[in-house]
Amino acid sequence: MFPDGDILEGLRARLDEAADYALLNGLLKYTPQGRLNHAPFALTPCPIDPACQHRMEALTASFNRLAHAVARDRAFLEDTLAPAAAVDDFTARLLKLARSGAGNQPIHLAITRSDYFIHQPAPEAPPQIRQVELNTIAASYPGLAERVYRLHRFLLQDTPLERRLLANDPPPVIAEAFAEAFARYGHPGARVLMVVQPGESNVFDQRLQEIALRERGLITRRASLEEIARQGTLKEGHLLVRGEVAAITYFRAAYGPEDFQSEDAFKARALIEASSTIAVPSLYAQLAGAKKVQKVLTEPRTLRRFLPSGQAAPVEACFAALYDLDEEVDAGGRRVAAWRLAIDNTAGFVLKPQREGGGNNYFDDELRRMLTGMTPDARPAYVLMERIRPAPHQAVLVREREARAVPAVSEIGRFGAYVADGEREVINRDAGYLVRTKERDTPEGGVSAGFGYLDSLLLTDPGDP
Ligand code: ADP
Ligand code: MG
């Protein structure tokens, strides 16, 4: 629960001031109608148990390492994704493009975000960390996460809660990793190319990261896949766009089929992969974040192929159960296919296709409808995941200057910044966090998808209930 009722009431009374502060300080987003406004935010920071927070932060380095090890094992990715690729055209095309890549860039730069819920099995039980997914492409909100922290710091100034607010500033840590990879590329006049969607509503978050890169001396150029197809070329292995070398190509788009509506888009993606630019992520690194890969990594032996035992154990402890649809599972002594079990217990599962970006999953009645209507040959394109039930807390959520006090749940992401040169790890850091709070009964969670509210973390005192 939010620790102090008076402070909560005090925050509600400051709605206008908070919204103005958000606008003044760049906590901005375009609305779905294309108007400029403050991004949706929670007035109330999200309480978190300090021990949980500490464990979560400590997992980042292991997930960075895991993602890198998986990305390097192409045979494993091919085998794991082949059944999904056989029925899912987008996965098939990504795999095909990955195979066609030059594959000779030993410098690996990754900006990841591992998302979690805090699972509360029973009111008295200790809270547990449960991973939702690891994002290896277009991990968003490093910039706005800092802005909402700044808003909360302002609102809680001179209250007893001020010192418990967890500081957060991902962009400079991310920029440090960029600068390291950029230096290793060895082309001082080169640029960072940011691949963006035309008309991006989350452009301010991206701009904040660009500014942090500029502070490290790196200049960013923005281009859509279509623009890269028209204005990009290869020269002595380098990717050139509008005549400038792209030392790093940073994807803030191109994770879903919506960004590949023309053959030009595929052409651009192939061009990037054929060059020596440091792609963040490369196609194999992107595929390492696929839902099917996540599922396979929950098998203890598979996980240990990629991580030493000491690191595998805490990683494993945060996994929720994941199933292939046709996998046989135990149901009270009977063996049944996971998809049948999920039809009988829709509240216990989430159905997920091989997609990123939010808004793609199926819950409750929709999940039943999907599973009932699905032909057997379509099943390999999906996974079933145990539905995580985080404990709700009381929050005040603000969208377009309107506040509502509701029971809410929060999804916490930890940003990771990682640089490797061949097998050698050069930077492996936790880069801060993102909190997306949503109404308790809303199943999906994305801020861009319209469900989530940006938030920050407030450490609970041992004495709090
Ligand atoms: P995407 O790659 O599209 O972002 P996610 O796996 O992150 O897909 O799921 C999107 C949202 O669905 C999450 O942000 C979360 O709100 C909800 N969700 C996903 N998995 C679970 C789960 N196992 N239990 C409860 N909610 C989930
Ligand atoms: Mg997600």
Side-chain angles (χ1 to χ4, degrees), residues 58-68 306-307 310-312 314-315 428:
L59 283 168
T60 309
S62 300
F63 276 113
N64 281 343
R65 200 165 288 156
L66 177 62
H68 182 220
F306 300 107
L307 275 184
Q311 274 169 43
V315 163
N428 186 0

Side-chain angles (χ1 to χ4, degrees), residues 47-371:
I48 187 167
D49 172 64
C52 252
Q53 142 57 25
H54 185 74
R55 268 184 283 142
M56 218 183 302
E57 186 173 342
L59 283 168
T60 309
S62 300
F63 276 113
N64 281 343
R65 200 165 288 156
L66 177 62
H68 182 220
V70 171
R72 286 171 61 84
D73 194 335
R74 296 175 179 195
F76 167 78
L77 285 170
E78 292 279 349
D79 289 350
T80 304
L81 292 170
V87 291
D88 179 54
D89 191 44
F90 187 61
T91 306
R93 288 208 72 165
L94 290 184
L95 261 180
K96 191 166 159 232
L97 279 173
R99 272 178 228 129
S100 73
N104 57 6
Q105 177 50 268
I107 306 160
H108 173 93
L109 168 61
I111 306 305
T112 60
R113 203 189 65 226
S114 182
D115 291 336
Y116 308 92
F117 280 123
I118 309 287
H119 175 64
Q120 189 73 48
E124 305 305 314
Q128 297 167 0
I129 300 165
R130 286 281 175 278
Q131 188 186 45
V132 175
E133 66 153 348
L134 177 69
N135 297 287
T136 59
I137 181 163
S140 53
Y141 295 111
L144 294 192
E146 188 273 340
R147 296 291 141 153
V148 75
Y149 158 70
R150 204 186 269 219
L151 168 66
H152 285 149
R153 197 180 54 190
F154 168 72
L155 291 172
L156 293 179
Q157 200 177 340
D158 301 325
T159 76
L161 299 186
E162 185 181 7
R163 65 184 173 82
R164 295 207 231 147
L165 199 61
L166 191 69
N168 193 28
D169 194 5
V173 187
I174 290 172
E176 182 202 343
F178 268 79
E180 177 66 41
F182 186 93
R184 283 169 188 265
Y185 192 84
H187 203 295
R191 301 288 184 247
V192 171
L193 176 66
M194 191 188 283
V195 183
V196 296
Q197 292 172 343
E200 170 66 72
S201 64
N202 194 26
V203 58
F204 302 102
D205 177 55
Q206 299 171 348
R207 291 291 189 199
L208 289 165
Q209 188 60 60
E210 284 176 41
I211 291 166
L213 291 172
R214 192 69 189 82
E215 278 163 13
R216 299 295 303 231
L218 307 189
I219 295 171
T220 304
R221 303 284 189 229
R222 302 165 61 90
S224 67
L225 285 174
E226 271 75 15
E227 287 170 325
I228 295 168
R230 283 197 305 274
Q231 301 166 340
T233 49
L234 285 185
K235 191 176 170 198
E236 290 155 13
H238 294 297
L239 172 66
L240 264 71
V241 175
R242 301 165 199 146
E244 294 175 314
V245 173
I248 296 173
T249 301
Y250 173 38
F251 287 93
R252 288 296 298 263
Y255 43 79
E258 315 73 44
D259 292 335
F260 288 93
Q261 292 192 3
S262 67
E263 280 308 306
D264 261 7
F266 283 106
K267 206 177 105 192
R269 188 65 191 85
L271 180 73
I272 293 164
E273 207 68 12
S275 78
S276 63
T277 191
I278 302 170
V280 187
S282 68
L283 275 159
Y284 282 112
Q286 176 178 345
L287 291 167
K291 308 284 189 281
K292 280 281 172 191
V293 173
Q294 179 184 11
K295 191 265 157 200
V296 171
L297 291 173
T298 61
E299 295 161 9
R301 265 197 302 163
T302 310
L303 182 66
R304 281 165 181 77
R305 276 175 59 180
F306 300 107
L307 275 184
S309 247
Q311 274 169 43
V315 163
E316 203 156 46
C318 79
F319 286 156
L322 279 141
Y323 307 96
D324 286 327
L325 272 57
D326 284 314
E327 189 173 337
E328 295 242 302
V329 293
D330 186 69
R334 285 180 309 135
R335 304 289 290 169
V336 294
W339 69 273
R340 287 189 191 278
L341 188 67
I343 288 178
D344 292 338
N345 175 18
T346 53
F349 293 92
V350 183
L351 177 66
K352 300 188 173 190
Q354 303 304 299
R355 291 288 178 273
E356 301 296 327
N360 303 303
N361 299 336
Y362 301 91
F363 300 84
D364 304 312
D365 288 346
E366 254 202 324
L367 173 147
R368 176 181 289 118
R369 203 160 355 103
M370 275 298 286
L371 288 177

